[in-house]
């Protein structure tokens, strides 16, 4: 299907629909005047319209979107304090890339990098390097580029002539890693799921590595089931590989969600720069970093892990500006909001928020586990995320039926099929974020209980295309 394909028609029916698309009350001075001004939908109108009328047209169409607070599919932040929203509105016109003109915004970005380097136990937080991005996807691309460039420098005699780089990761990685391998011509070596293991196996990862491996990606918080991958065990398996073969493979930790959860509620878990083999880490500020969409972070252990030739030094609007990013111009609002959240909450505040989200997830999971029709696969005790499937004896409905029926009540709960080698397993995923309270969890349980009698009366699952169901990768 083409991306954003335009469509349109000039027939009489469309003209009539355009006339009727504007509520007469939107024409404040003349109730019928505005009804002649409805714009076409697929090409620019010939002239302007009143701002209030334009606002109402767009506002009314957006009412058909789902309620973001009831979206249990997304990891992305759906609530911030009003003060944060005010700060973001004050900074939305500032171009982040123009550090010479907006030096204080640039300083807040630098402070955020320093705070994250300290939070993730960099050997020397003052020398760790990092940058803000538009999200974890861009951060992963940057980390992958650094891994590939370091590998290429070590193999200059073989690359690009005969050696093809590869990247090892679990089949459960976020889709941005598949994009990286596609865009930057890297072979993706994927460790499949097996049985009740839904993420990367350390030894299986090490077995796929060779002299052309640029790195191993370990995910701290899989989007498929909310589980942490065993980063320390992956590093240990790669240590053994180096001792046995001399092949030295760095690790990148994709901490899109978990890197802003584990430091606060799993402090004894060793997954970060305390492990010498971990060369870089990314996270999404707009996930459990608690900022509205549009900010991610990429950090490297030291300048040695980020090749200098990847850093551009641009003379832009009067200043020498080092930059490492796929994007150029973007608003500073999200970085400012990240700094606000860091200073607003501190470690104890983040701990309270993330522990509350985990407690809500664990309680909700336990309530659903009491229902005979469902079987939990994870319990929300790592990321505040859990997945469930229907019990083996349930034959008259499936997770896709449950997802569809919950949507009728406003809940957005994704149903999807796992990848190789567990395509036989279809699940529902529940993501608990800040703002999803125990009260909302109770309402979800009540709605599930209300739906079950109707689902039990079905003769068979109504889903006709479950093999084509795809996982949610965000």
């Amino acid at each position: 299907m083409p991306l954003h394909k335009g469509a349109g028609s000039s027939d009489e029916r469309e003209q009539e629909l355009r006339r009727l698309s504007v509520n007469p009350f939107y024409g404040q001075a003349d109730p019928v005047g505005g009804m002649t001004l409805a714009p076409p939908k697929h090409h620019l109108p010939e002239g302007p319209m009143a701002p209030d009328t334009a606002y109402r047209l767009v506002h009314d169409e957006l009412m058909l979107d789902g309620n973001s607070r009831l979206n249990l599919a997304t990891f992305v932040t759906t609530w911030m304090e009003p003060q944060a929203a005010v700060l973001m509105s004050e900074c939305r016109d500032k171009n982040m890339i123009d550090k010479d003109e907006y030096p204080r915004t640039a300083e807040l970005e630098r402070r955020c990098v320093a705070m994250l380097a300290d939070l993730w136990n960099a050997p020397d937080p003052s020398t760790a390097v990092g940058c803000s991005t538009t999200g974890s996807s861009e951060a992963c691309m940057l980390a992958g580029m650094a891994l590939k460039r370091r590998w290429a420098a070590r193999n200059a005699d073989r690359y690009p002539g005969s050696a093809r780089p590869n990247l090892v990761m679990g089949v459960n990685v976020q889709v941005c890693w598949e994009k990286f391998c596609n865009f930057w011509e890297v072979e993706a070596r994927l460790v499949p799921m097996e049985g009740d293991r839904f993420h990367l196996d350390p030894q299986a990862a090490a077995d796929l590595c060779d002299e052309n491996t640029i790195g191993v990606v370990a995910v701290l918080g899989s989007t498929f089931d909310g589980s942490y991958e065993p980063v320390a065990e992956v590093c240990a398996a790669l240590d053994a590989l180096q001792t046995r073969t001399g092949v030295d493979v760095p690790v990148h930790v994709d901490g899109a969600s978990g890197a802003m959860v584990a430091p606060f509620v799993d402090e004894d878990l060793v997954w970060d720069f305390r492990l010498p083999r971990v060369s870089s880490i990314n996270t999404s500020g707009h996930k459990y970093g608690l900022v509205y969409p549009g900010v991610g972070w990429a950090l490297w252990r030291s300048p040695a892990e980020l090749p200098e030739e990847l850093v551009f030094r641009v003379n832009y609007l009067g200043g020498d500006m080092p930059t490492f990013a796929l994007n150029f111009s973007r608003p500073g609002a999200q970085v400012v909001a990240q700094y606000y959240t860091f200073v607003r909450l501190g470690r104890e505040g983040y701990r309270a928020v993330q522990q509350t989200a985990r407690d809500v997830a664990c309680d909700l999971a336990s309530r659903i586990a009491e229902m005979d029709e469902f079987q939990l696969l994870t319990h929300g005790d790592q990321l505040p995320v859990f997945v469930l499937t229907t019990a083996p004896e349930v034959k008259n409905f499936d997770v896709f039926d449950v997802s569809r029926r919950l949507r009728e009540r406003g809940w957005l709960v994704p149903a999807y099929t796992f990848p190789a080698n567990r395509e036989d397993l279809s699940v529902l995923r529940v993501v608990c974020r800040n703002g999803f309270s125990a009260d909302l969890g109770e309402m979800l349980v009540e709605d599930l209980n209300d739906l079950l009698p109707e689902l039990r009366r079905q003769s068979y699952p109504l889903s006709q295309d479950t093999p084509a169901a795809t996982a949610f990768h965000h």
Side-chain angles (χ1 to χ4, degrees):
M1 179 180 178
L3 291 176
H4 306 297
K5 181 180 179 181
S9 170
S10 58
D11 61 25
E12 293 182 3
R13 175 167 172 75
E14 182 180 349
Q15 297 295 329
E16 179 69 2
L17 288 176
R18 284 176 56 195
R19 184 183 70 82
L20 297 175
S21 66
V22 180
N23 186 322
F25 280 96
Y26 294 173
Q28 296 179 13
D30 179 1
V32 298
M35 298 180 70
T36 65
L37 299 177
K41 293 181 179 178
H42 303 289
H43 58 85
L44 284 173
E46 293 301 319
M49 66 164 47
D52 285 345
T53 305
Y55 167 79
R56 295 306 312 185
L57 279 173
V58 178
H59 172 84
D60 287 357
E61 184 162 349
L62 291 174
M63 288 193 301
L64 294 174
D65 276 346
N67 185 329
S68 64
R69 292 286 296 280
L70 300 181
N71 184 357
L72 302 184
T74 184
F75 287 81
V76 172
T77 296
T78 55
W79 183 88
M80 290 189 76
E81 293 175 307
Q83 293 87 340
V86 171
L87 271 175
M88 294 182 75
S89 69
E90 292 172 350
C91 298
R92 60 192 173 195
D93 59 342
K94 295 182 179 181
N95 186 1
M96 262 296 301
I97 204 67
D98 186 4
K99 293 177 170 57
D100 193 59
E101 296 294 323
Y102 305 115
R104 301 322 300 171
T105 302
E107 170 62 13
L108 298 191
E109 179 188 26
R110 189 193 66 80
R111 292 180 192 174
C112 287
V113 168
M115 289 177 178
L116 289 171
D118 178 65
L119 183 67
W120 296 339
N121 296 292
D124 182 358
S126 66
T127 63
V129 292
C131 60
S132 67
T133 63
T134 55
S136 261
S137 293
E138 183 187 1
C140 290
M141 300 283 179
L142 299 180
M145 289 166 60
L147 289 173
K148 183 180 179 182
R149 189 61 61 90
R150 288 174 60 206
W151 171 86
R154 295 193 305 269
N155 295 274
D157 57 328
R158 300 188 304 119
Y159 179 77
S162 59
R164 185 188 180 197
N166 65 74
L167 182 66
V168 174
M169 49 199 165
V171 71
N172 57 298
V173 290
Q174 211 264 2
V175 70
C176 68
W177 288 107
E178 299 175 39
K179 288 184 178 180
F180 166 75
C181 290
N182 187 357
F183 294 169
W184 274 272
E185 298 182 329
V186 173
E187 176 192 356
R189 294 187 174 178
L190 302 176
V191 176
M193 297 179 177
E194 294 290 348
D196 294 332
R197 176 182 58 76
F198 305 128
H199 58 220
L200 185 66
D201 175 74
Q203 190 55 53
D207 291 344
L208 288 177
C209 294
D210 57 27
E211 67 276 8
N212 293 329
T213 302
I214 65 174
V216 171
V217 176
V219 181
L220 195 72
S222 172
T223 59
F224 276 88
D225 66 351
S227 64
Y228 295 158
E229 292 191 334
V231 182
E233 287 84 347
V234 170
C235 290
L238 295 175
D239 289 343
L241 175 70
Q242 183 177 8
T243 300
R244 188 171 67 254
T245 66
V247 174
D248 184 10
V249 179
V251 169
H252 172 79
V253 177
D254 182 350
S257 294
M260 292 305 297
V261 174
F264 305 109
V265 294
D266 300 300
E267 295 179 77
D268 294 333
L269 180 67
V270 179
W271 61 273
D272 53 17
F273 289 127
R274 287 171 288 183
L275 298 167
R277 196 167 289 278
V278 172
S279 65
S280 52
I281 301 171
N282 72 275
T283 198
S284 287
H286 60 225
K287 291 181 180 174
Y288 287 97
L290 308 180
V291 176
Y292 283 140
V295 63
W297 301 93
L299 267 71
W300 289 264
R301 169 184 293 276
S302 71
E305 278 75 28
L306 179 59
E308 175 63 27
E309 64 266 24
L310 290 178
V311 180
F312 283 79
R313 299 189 179 277
V314 184
N315 188 321
Y316 185 65
L317 298 181
D320 178 69
M321 178 193 63
T323 179
F324 182 38
L326 298 180
N327 297 290
F328 205 62
S329 295
R330 59 187 175 92
Q334 284 82 1
V335 167
V336 171
Q338 184 74 84
Y339 183 72
Y340 165 84
T341 307
F342 282 170
V343 298
R344 165 77 173 91
L345 293 178
R347 286 180 182 258
E348 286 303 314
Y350 264 97
R351 184 173 295 111
V353 169
Q354 312 301 34
Q355 187 63 57
T356 297
R358 178 179 285 181
D359 290 345
V360 169
C362 290
D363 179 70
L364 179 56
S366 67
R367 294 289 307 280
I368 294 175
E370 295 172 357
M371 302 178 186
D372 293 337
E373 287 80 5
F374 298 113
Q375 175 181 325
L376 287 182
L377 301 179
T378 53
H379 301 267
D381 54 350
Q382 293 184 335
L383 286 189
V385 175
F386 62 93
V387 295
L388 60 142
T389 189
T390 49
E393 62 273 14
V394 174
K395 305 298 183 184
N396 47 335
F397 65 90
D398 58 19
V399 294
F400 302 97
D401 291 324
V402 177
S403 177
R404 183 175 58 254
R405 295 304 307 275
L406 284 173
R407 192 180 185 94
E408 294 172 3
R409 301 192 175 211
W411 300 103
L412 306 178
V413 181
Y416 52 91
T417 302
F418 272 22
N421 289 332
R422 289 307 311 269
E423 296 98 329
D424 60 304
L425 181 59
S426 298
V427 302
L428 293 160
R429 187 186 70 199
V430 177
V431 178
C432 297
R433 305 176 306 279
N434 181 44
F436 184 77
S437 64
D439 285 348
L440 286 173
E442 184 67 25
M443 294 177 193
L444 177 61
V445 170
E446 290 174 359
D447 282 342
L448 266 177
N449 279 318
D450 288 345
L451 292 173
L452 282 174
E454 298 178 38
L455 291 170
R456 293 187 192 110
R457 288 196 293 269
Q458 289 185 187
S459 300
Y460 52 85
L462 300 182
S463 303
Q464 299 299 313
D465 196 26
T466 53
T470 56
F472 281 67
H473 288 277
H474 56 281

